[in-house]
Amino acid sequence: MQTSEERDNALAIAELKGELIAPQERMKTMTAENDSALDRLRADMAQRDKDNLRWQIGLWVAAVVIIGVLIRWPA
């Protein structure tokens, strides 16, 4: 048979376990939210990198064309 002290200890342990579950669940939720935010950030960065590369290539092509026109310009 359990004594009253053992029952009290068992109740205290059950309460502590319940108190530990809530922060763990919050931590799992926050981790999932952070992972989601990082995925969105990675996608946004990839899009920006692609856009920047397009601009750079376009500017280089324009510079080469302009220099070519200036060199071939009849004097």
Side-chain angles (χ1 to χ4, degrees), residues 13-66:
I13 290 171
E15 287 176 3
L16 288 174
K17 284 183 179 178
E19 289 175 7
L20 289 176
I21 291 173
Q24 289 173 345
E25 292 300 319
R26 281 197 311 260
M27 190 167 54
K28 286 180 185 177
T29 302
M30 292 175 82
T31 301
E33 289 173 0
N34 288 343
D35 290 343
S36 173
L38 284 173
D39 289 340
R40 290 191 311 269
L41 182 60
R42 285 185 190 108
D44 185 48
M45 288 173 58
Q47 181 64 38
R48 287 183 185 196
D49 287 345
K50 189 181 350 177
D51 291 344
N52 286 337
L53 184 61
R54 287 179 184 162
W55 270 103
Q56 288 179 8
I57 291 172
L59 289 175
W60 277 105
V61 168
V64 168
V65 168
I66 290 171

